[in-house]
Amino acid sequence: MRTGTFAHDRHRMVQRQLVRRGIRDDQVLAAMGTVPRERFVDESAAGRAYEDTPLPIGQGQTISQPYIVAAMLQAVALSAGDRMLEVGAGSGYAAAVAGRIAGEVVAVERHVGLAAAARRRLRDLHSDNVEIRIGDGTLGVPERAPFDAIVVSAGGPVVPPALKDQLTVGGRLVIPVGPADRQVLVRVTRRGADDFTEESLGEVMFVPLIGRQGFRDSTWTSGP
């Protein structure tokens, strides 16, 4: 691949798509500037890796546009040492970026093929603090809870109760909520055992969140 050219594209993406649009978190900017997004798309689409747009990755899923990844990570105020859960790992890109900041990242993907490919990419990049699991992300990963931050990379009808329960006190959860044509990015903060606050961060558009506490379809099955 054209390593030098991609490095230039990556720097330009950070400056034009992120900084100019209000991303101020230095850790997020640094991570976005180092993770090679071209490695997380099909080789035929590598030349478009740094465009300001989502790209297909197979199985009817997409890799989110760079700005959305940065905005969601900034919204959960990720810090070194945090344990983060990502629901909807997809190609593994957002998990790789989060892994440059957090102490530990657990990412759940329901598509076996996508999860396997994400694991290979993360292994090749020595992202040893990122784990990809296969299963129903709407149920979270209770045996690894609580999480300081949860990022849901798909839009659900409501905030899954299981994910709220797996937040630590002070933890932040960011998720798109609403029907496919009118989703709002919501940030949930846990203030106490049964005390949660919610705030809207603006309109977005994501693929549907499929699972027991999300949308259901006839092809959905939980992974091993």
Side-chain angles (χ1 to χ4, degrees), residues 35-146:
V35 174
R37 193 169 188 260
E38 70 275 8
R39 300 279 292 275
F40 291 87
V41 299
D42 291 340
E43 190 170 352
S44 61
R48 302 184 59 201
Y50 295 99
E51 292 182 7
D52 185 24
T53 185
L55 294 171
I57 57 174
Q59 302 290 316
Q61 307 300 299
T62 60
I63 181 174
S64 297
Q65 68 186 107
Y67 171 75
I68 288 294
V69 174
M72 293 179 80
L73 291 178
Q74 178 171 266
V76 293
L78 205 57
S79 298
D82 279 354
R83 176 182 294 171
M84 182 185 125
L85 170 67
E86 184 194 17
V87 175
S91 69
Y93 175 69
V97 174
R100 301 292 175 99
I101 306 170
E104 179 183 0
V105 178
V106 181
V108 183
E109 173 55 52
R110 70 187 183 94
H111 294 287
V112 176
L114 292 181
R119 285 172 178 156
R120 288 194 297 270
R121 295 180 181 113
L122 292 163
R123 182 181 62 245
D124 291 346
L125 292 174
H126 305 289
S127 297
D128 299 329
N129 65 332
V130 181
E131 175 187 356
I132 303 292
R133 291 192 170 202
I134 300 168
D136 181 356
T138 69
L139 303 180
V141 184
E143 65 271 25
R144 300 291 290 277

Side-chain angles (χ1 to χ4, degrees), residues 71 175 178-179 199:
I175 177 174
E199 56 187 309

Side-chain angles (χ1 to χ4, degrees), residues 22-39:
I23 302 300
R24 296 288 180 264
D25 188 312
D26 289 337
Q27 293 185 102
V28 172
L29 293 172
M32 295 285 290
T34 58
V35 174
R37 193 169 188 260
E38 70 275 8
R39 300 279 292 275

Side-chain angles (χ1 to χ4, degrees), residues 158-188:
V158 297
V159 181
L163 299 184
K164 294 173 67 174
D165 288 345
Q166 291 172 39
L167 278 177
T168 186
V169 174
R172 294 80 56 199
L173 161 64
V174 173
I175 177 174
V177 175
D181 60 344
R182 194 177 181 182
Q183 299 170 352
V184 174
L185 192 63
V186 173
R187 177 167 56 201
V188 177

